[in-house]
Amino acid sequence: MSPMPNLAIHIPSSKLLSFVSHSLCINEIMDFICPNSPSVWNGNKFSKCFDDMVFGFGANMITILMISVIGIAQRNARGNQRVNFIEKVVLYFLPLLGACLSSVDIILLLKERLHREFLYHDWLFRCSQFAVWMIIILFSRCASFHYIFCNYILCFWWIVKPVTGILHLQGVFSSLEVWECLKESFIVLLDIMFGISINIIRIRRASSKRSSIEESLLVVDIDVEEGSRVSGYNQSYWDLTFESINSMMNRGLTKQLEFEDLLELPVDMDPSACHYNFLSCWATQESGNPSLLRAICCAYGYPYLCLGLLKVLNDCIGFAGPLLLNRLIKFLQQGSGHLDGFVLAIALGLTSILKSFLDTQYTFHLSKLKFKLRSSMMTVIYQKCLYVSLAERSKFSSGEIQTFMSVDADRIVNLGHSLNDMWSLPLQIGIALYLLYTQVKFAFVSGLAITILLIPVNKWISSLIANATEKMMKQKDERIRRTGEILTYIRTLKMYGWEHLFSCWLMETRSSEVKHLSTRKYLDAWCVFFWATTPTLFSLFTFGLFVLMGYDLDAATVFTCLALFNSLISPLNSFPWVINGLIDAFISARRLSRFLCCSDSKSEMEQKVNSPFCLSNNQYDSTFKDMVVTMHDASCSWSSGDEKDRNLVLNQVNLHLTKGSLVAIIGEVGSGKSSLLNSILGETLLVHGSIHSTGSIAYVPQVPWILSGTIRENILFGKNYDPQRYSDVVRACAFDVDISLMIGNDMAYIGEKGLNLSGGQRARLALARAIYHGADIYMLDDVLSAVDAQVARWILSNGIMGPLMSQKTRILCTHNVQAISSADMIVVMDKGRVTWVGNSDELAVSMYSGFSSLNEFDTLHIQRKECSTSTCTQDKPDHLKEMDVVSVLDGAQDILEVEQRKEGRVELIVYKNYAAFCGWFITLVICLSAILMQASRNGNDLWLSYWVDTTGSSETQYSTSFYLVILCSFCIANSFLTLLRAFSFAYGGLQAAVQAHNTLINKIINAPVIFFDQTPGGRILNRFSSDLYTIDDSLPFILNVLVANFVGLLGIAVILSYVQVFVLLLLLPFWFIYSKLQFFYRSTSRELRRLDSVSRSPIYSSFTETLDGSSTIRAFKSEDYFFAKFNEHVALYQRTSFSELIASLWLSLRLQLLAAFIISFVATMAVIGSRGNLPISFGTPGLVGLALSYAAPIVSLLGSFLTSFTETEKEMVSVERVLEYMDVPQEELSGHQPLSTDWPLHGLIEFQNVTMRYKPSLPAALRDVTFTIEGGTQVGIIGRTGAGKSSVLNALFRLIPICGGRILVDGLNIIDAPLRDLRAHFSIVPQSPFLFQGSLRDNLDPLQMFNDVKIWNILEKCHVKEEVEAAGGLDIHVKESGISFSVGQRQLLCLARALLKSSKVLCLDECTANVDTQTASILQNTVSSECRGMTVITVAHRISTVLNMDKILILDHGNLVEGGNPQTLIQDESTIFSKFARASMM
């Protein structure tokens, strides 16, 4: 290997001399600028010269350069925006104030030059600072000022620049010159305020520009009549004192607040604007892998980031208190006589005041952002429900979708707090630990080790909490679904006697939910224990190690550390809740993303999937120009899951429907008639082929969907009111007489799901809506089956075939013979296939056996007559108003009660009831453990003060180990009591949740049917979802916080009074002011909370209603109308929440200012006492330090106490609302006459002068009705729509108590029998078929009393055995509401369920209305053969149903007008029954 080369560098002597001289020149310059000072580092920190030249002069020169360059570049820009007051303050006043301060500094420097050496680095720094403010003032006068100062680069620099100021401030604080520290702090604060304000101005201008664009887009669709909208909330961006709420709070003192008293919403909080903003961000996500969280960041990320910067400033100012406290205690120890002590005392109060304003402003703007996010979530979920098809929606249960709105949306909104706290809390902890290091050196590491050791423990606990939460949410979804199912079918359940069984099933689901809730609560309790005991353990280990390291404890060190420990309590205690909140939000975001990713229903009129039959538009126009609906090889399914799970409801359908024709779709039950209509609407999943339709569509489903609202609102459905057309439509639907008999006429209020209308009235109302809509295609799903024959004939002649629908395409699924014979085209379906297409002349009787039932009438020798339209018009049916549920009302309240809200404060009985739910013993344990926990903590601090006093005195001292043992004892006691309190609260909260739910469900289950008729299901469901969620989760949490705050304040008051007797002088005036403030606030707060609950209910009610009728809404293309109505509900809810927010911040600010005065008072009195000018001693330095350290957190603790108190009162409104429904009327379940298992033996039923009315204010539904039904006979009850037929069954089943007379069954007055036993001994097939989610076996035999052989035998007799076998047998899972089966199949399964019961009394409530005539005939034969010896009561519309019965009863207007054998009555042409029979055949 060659030797290493010589690496020595030879520099020519001339260059070396030049380099040396250059270096000497630089050194001379540095010596000139920084005389007698190191240029960078002085051994411990940066030198004063380096501070001034880099952090001061350098940063200022960069600012001047950037403003100049941007100003020159934007010199030609023209701005036409007005400058508001706040912008004037920012651009003129703040720079002017900064320039004044800088000029004062320069004058002082010039003055100092006379007495000491001139420091050029100081001079350069002050002059550059003055130049910055002057150049800002100069450019702010330009027309293009907002282009300059709102530039992205400059805005970012305004955020970075204060960091250099803070670094400079650190050097200043190392000196003990109080005036210099305060002056420099104020200058840096000016920089920070200017930077934040400029960023806010930029955001405001950007959002106002965007809002103006959005408004121009949104106002296009607003009706001119509705244009008189109240202007938005005119509050400026920085409403520092929230004075805008004063007028509303004054009204709240004198009267009960109403919605019109609320504050108006700011323009940017309008739900439409929020929805548009979020939806545009979500749309950008849909192209790739959509993420709800990314869309939220896109919509609200930047303003949220700016709020984060405000939070940084707020958190940092929070640590000024302990630092000033440290200086003040040192001053008191030194006993100095100059005025620095007063400056520090006042500075302590001013810091608290500044933090109060920053706290409230941060909360205000963060809450506004959360309200915007909540509005966006609610509207986007609602919109998705409007647009997603039924097949696509089948992936989610109804309860799950309702949970999206009621729970998941709120959890995602809470992400606003959790995300900022996720980085803010560690920052606060980090700063506190650094300041601890400055006080106790590395002794704090022992305390830090405790914290670090707890991190993996808490992480493990958090993962367990997440797992428990996810399982709990699934059970909550199922519970809400089951509750909704019970509320929807409560009438049927009571007739079956199954309400107790269903409530037991619900209890099982609730038990599973509570199991996971308890896991979560106890894990939360461990989190609370670990984090709450950390500060106490921290102080023990830190002070213990500090003393063992050989240092002496003094008052300044101990109480500065205690103040820092106190500042650690809030972030440490909050951290577990923050983690839980984040976990909940991420879980909910995943759930919601899955729902929002569902594809929307096809908005266009053409659907194609894997079809070779694809034509261009020109080809289509030429081939099918006269066709309105074309289906080619179409196969459809209701399931949108995997292909193997798809069950085809339509199979290879080919169909072409011509324009202007009347098309009758016929077929047996379950043949696919309704599925055909739904496939044209795009509600099913098109698996193969193509479907094309042209023109607008009006749709009437088989089960009519009725809105909660007036008759007119239901018919108009968002369209303008045309009196002539409206009158014609109502008359054509034979609905005008019904309307005329209602109080209020067409402005009469219809309850939820048309509860106060009969089945026939609901069908005619839905038909009137469709006709008024004036569409090109009318899809009518069996609309004639719910009305009697005479009304059906009128509707067919004057409505479906009348002038209003002439030249329109009408697709009618029907079993009506006259409609089939009048059709231009008949489509026969069987098992999802089109088996035959033609007209009525070509249709042989043998091809569709449904016509065979006509032969029954031929045997009666009744001459069939054709009725022309003109003849039928004259022979209008005199149908009467419905008497079984009478539609007479005086305003909405007579049928649908307006939701009541309490007045005044939450009563003490509500708190007592909640304590009783928890258990009185556990309540006592919670209170005692909380008080003793605080006492042990106060004892710990008092012992520390005694320790430092004895250390600094000449008194006899105990050994260090003695002090440590006592301190350790206090820590152990505090830890144990904290653990006891945490687990007591968890256990008590769980007990209350269980008791509240179980009591509520029992009370609701036992309520009479009239209660459910008058109360919307959404309102009741709100108690079980939102209010119970509050009782389960948020109420125990806020109560825990309240108790902790109360005992904390009690401890502070005791310590302050013990140390400084003058504090007692403050207590009376302080309590007077405090009580006045809280009274002024609480009188308004209670009303706002109740208004909030009341305004929330319509959101859930309309949401539930929309879920039921979404297919109808989509068919009418009324999505925008319903979305606008929902937006109105959300806007009202937003107004209530916004007013609540302003009111709470109004109070919080004033309380914190009051607390700041207390701090200044305690500090000032301590300074005065240290000067020895008062006769009363303030105790030792240790006690004075303790008082000051306790006075510091009173700011946050006082605000937190009243906030938690008012929040508790607000949350208790949920308990109040639940208790309200625990006081509902109850059915009389008991009876003094027990029933034997074989009762009734004969089935003899006697009505003796029975009178029944649904409400005392309404006319009688049955009027003095008397008849006898012999045991074992079959009786039909007929009458026109609204005659009171169903009221007979309501009376028999005691759903509605009778007013007079009595009903005997086998000689026993049914009023004497136990109610559930009575209903269980009867069988019923209800008018609306009821199948619940579960196995088919459970649906048929929920009590598990029969074997499979018996069940299959009954299914065969009811002619559904083949369909059940094809679907998968008795163990198949029936979907919600039984949508797996057609309406006719559901009715047959309900009949099978009734026959399986083998009761002596069987009631059929129009059960053949939705089945074809052949199936109806077979059912009648089945009932005749299987029910020999049974008493059968049949409520019927079809005459053929009752012809072969032993007896018929004809009701009219609630009166029994005719009765006898049908064969005898039909022979007499003068009888009412004979007229009915003739009308049914015409």
Side-chain angles (χ1 to χ4, degrees), residues 569-586:
I569 290 173
S570 178
L572 289 175
N573 282 345
S574 301
F575 210 71
W577 306 107
V578 170
I579 294 171
N580 293 346
L582 281 174
I583 292 168
D584 290 346
F586 290 142

Side-chain angles (χ1 to χ4, degrees), residues 1105-1338:
E1105 199 170 52
T1106 302
L1107 278 178
D1108 294 336
S1110 59
S1111 59
T1112 305
I1113 294 171
R1114 283 189 291 275
F1116 281 85
K1117 294 290 181 288
S1118 296
E1119 295 96 335
D1120 292 342
Y1121 169 70
F1122 279 88
F1123 186 69
K1125 282 182 65 177
F1126 185 76
N1127 264 355
E1128 290 174 9
H1129 295 317
V1130 175
L1132 189 61
Y1133 185 33
Q1134 291 279 82
R1135 281 183 65 193
T1136 315
S1137 302
F1138 184 67
S1139 300
E1140 266 192 291
L1141 168 69
I1142 300 293
S1144 64
L1145 291 177
W1146 178 92
L1147 175 72
S1148 177
L1149 178 65
R1150 282 150 182 79
L1151 279 183
Q1152 290 188 60
L1153 293 177
L1154 196 61
F1157 171 75
I1158 292 175
I1159 290 173
S1160 297
F1161 177 83
V1162 171
T1164 305
M1165 294 306 294
V1167 173
I1168 293 172
S1170 69
R1171 299 165 73 92
N1173 295 330
L1174 293 174
I1176 300 174
S1177 171
F1178 286 101
T1180 62
L1183 288 175
V1184 171
L1186 179 64
L1188 287 171
S1189 66
Y1190 267 51
I1194 203 172
V1195 179
S1196 59
L1197 203 56
L1198 256 181
S1200 180
F1201 170 70
L1202 196 61
T1203 302
S1204 58
F1205 181 72
T1206 51
E1207 283 299 318
T1208 299
E1209 195 172 39
K1210 290 174 185 177
E1211 301 290 354
M1212 289 302 284
V1213 171
S1214 291
V1215 180
E1216 184 183 63
R1217 282 161 56 82
V1218 167
L1219 288 172
E1220 178 191 345
Y1221 276 22
M1222 291 182 185
D1223 289 334
V1224 297
Q1226 300 287 285
E1227 288 184 313
E1228 186 61 48
L1229 298 177
S1230 61
H1232 61 267
Q1233 184 69 47
L1235 302 178
S1236 61
T1237 54
D1238 56 353
W1239 183 90
L1241 288 172
H1242 308 290
L1244 173 64
I1245 299 174
E1246 299 173 78
F1247 273 57
Q1248 298 179 357
N1249 306 109
V1250 173
T1251 300
M1252 188 192 81
R1253 61 183 77 237
Y1254 285 88
K1255 290 186 70 177
S1257 59
L1258 298 180
L1262 294 177
R1263 303 167 186 263
D1264 200 30
V1265 173
T1266 300
F1267 60 82
T1268 301
I1269 299 175
E1270 297 296 333
T1273 59
Q1274 296 191 11
V1275 176
I1277 301 176
I1278 62 173
R1280 296 188 177 114
T1281 301
K1285 304 182 294 293
S1286 297
S1287 296
V1288 173
L1289 300 185
N1290 288 340
L1292 180 62
F1293 280 83
R1294 285 176 57 190
L1295 292 178
I1296 305 294
I1298 59 176
C1299 309
R1302 60 178 186 164
I1303 302 172
L1304 305 178
V1305 177
D1306 277 5
L1308 172 69
N1309 192 339
I1310 61 172
I1311 201 71
D1312 298 330
L1315 185 58
R1316 284 192 181 136
D1317 283 353
L1318 173 74
R1319 292 169 180 168
H1321 282 79
F1322 298 155
S1323 290
I1324 177 78
V1325 180
Q1327 184 174 0
S1328 299
F1330 164 57
L1331 293 180
F1332 55 87
Q1333 188 169 321
S1335 71
L1336 183 59
R1337 179 184 281 103
D1338 286 341

Side-chain angles (χ1 to χ4, degrees), residues 1060-1080:
Q1060 282 197 2
V1061 71
F1062 277 113
V1063 172
L1064 293 173
L1065 299 177
L1066 273 183
L1067 286 181
L1068 189 61
F1070 175 76
W1071 179 253
F1072 175 77
I1073 296 170
Y1074 177 77
S1075 61
K1076 286 292 182 184
L1077 280 175
Q1078 62 90 20
F1079 173 74
F1080 191 55

Side-chain angles (χ1 to χ4, degrees), residues 1458 1464-1466 1468-1476 1478:
E1458 193 169 271
T1464 305
L1465 291 175
I1466 206 166
D1468 185 356
E1469 293 188 0
S1470 64
T1471 62
I1472 298 172
F1473 181 66
S1474 176
K1475 294 176 183 178
F1476 271 135
R1478 286 198 299 274

Side-chain angles (χ1 to χ4, degrees), residues 957-1159:
Q957 297 181 11
Y958 298 102
S959 64
T960 301
S961 59
F962 171 76
Y963 291 111
L964 284 175
V965 166
I966 300 297
L967 197 65
C968 188
S969 302
F970 276 116
C971 287
I972 292 171
N974 181 262
S975 300
F976 170 75
L977 291 165
T978 302
L979 186 66
L980 180 62
R981 192 199 75 170
F983 273 85
S984 300
F985 251 110
Y987 179 78
L990 284 168
Q991 286 295 106
V994 170
Q995 289 297 324
H997 176 270
N998 292 354
T999 308
L1000 180 63
I1001 192 64
N1002 285 330
K1003 293 289 185 180
I1004 292 293
I1005 284 293
N1006 294 330
V1009 167
I1010 193 68
F1011 167 75
F1012 300 98
D1013 290 344
Q1014 294 174 342
T1015 311
R1019 192 181 295 172
I1020 304 173
L1021 196 62
N1022 195 12
R1023 263 69 172 182
F1024 283 97
S1025 58
S1026 184
D1027 290 321
L1028 269 178
Y1029 179 72
T1030 297
I1031 295 171
D1032 286 356
D1033 196 54
S1034 54
L1035 179 58
F1037 167 72
I1038 200 68
L1039 263 176
N1040 200 348
V1041 174
L1042 174 66
V1043 171
N1045 286 334
F1046 174 74
V1047 295
L1049 275 175
L1050 191 64
I1052 287 176
V1054 170
I1055 294 296
L1056 287 180
S1057 301
Y1058 171 69
V1059 174
Q1060 282 197 2
V1061 71
F1062 277 113
V1063 172
L1064 293 173
L1065 299 177
L1066 273 183
L1067 286 181
L1068 189 61
F1070 175 76
W1071 179 253
F1072 175 77
I1073 296 170
Y1074 177 77
S1075 61
K1076 286 292 182 184
L1077 280 175
Q1078 62 90 20
F1079 173 74
F1080 191 55
Y1081 167 71
R1082 284 175 59 206
S1083 57
T1084 302
S1085 167
R1086 285 190 302 266
E1087 296 304 316
L1088 288 175
R1089 186 60 176 180
R1090 288 172 180 140
L1091 283 174
D1092 180 81
S1093 296
V1094 172
S1095 65
R1096 189 171 60 234
S1097 288
I1099 293 177
Y1100 298 118
S1101 294
S1102 63
F1103 182 63
T1104 306
E1105 199 170 52
T1106 302
L1107 278 178
D1108 294 336
S1110 59
S1111 59
T1112 305
I1113 294 171
R1114 283 189 291 275
F1116 281 85
K1117 294 290 181 288
S1118 296
E1119 295 96 335
D1120 292 342
Y1121 169 70
F1122 279 88
F1123 186 69
K1125 282 182 65 177
F1126 185 76
N1127 264 355
E1128 290 174 9
H1129 295 317
V1130 175
L1132 189 61
Y1133 185 33
Q1134 291 279 82
R1135 281 183 65 193
T1136 315
S1137 302
F1138 184 67
S1139 300
E1140 266 192 291
L1141 168 69
I1142 300 293
S1144 64
L1145 291 177
W1146 178 92
L1147 175 72
S1148 177
L1149 178 65
R1150 282 150 182 79
L1151 279 183
Q1152 290 188 60
L1153 293 177
L1154 196 61
F1157 171 75
I1158 292 175
I1159 290 173

Side-chain angles (χ1 to χ4, degrees), residues 29-86:
I29 294 171
M30 294 304 297
D31 288 337
F32 177 74
I33 296 174
C34 306
N36 303 324
S37 171
S39 56
V40 178
W41 193 258
N42 66 2
N44 294 320
K45 59 179 182 176
F46 290 116
S47 66
K48 177 84 165 60
C49 176
F50 184 83
D51 266 353
D52 289 343
M53 291 303 295
V54 176
F55 300 141
F57 178 72
N60 289 333
M61 290 309 296
I62 292 173
T63 308
I64 292 168
L65 184 64
M66 290 176 70
I67 294 175
S68 302
V69 171
I70 295 169
I72 293 168
Q74 299 288 346
R75 65 184 181 278
N76 295 324
R78 288 289 177 267
N80 56 359
Q81 299 187 39
R82 295 182 59 186
V83 182
N84 60 36
F85 175 74
I86 296 299

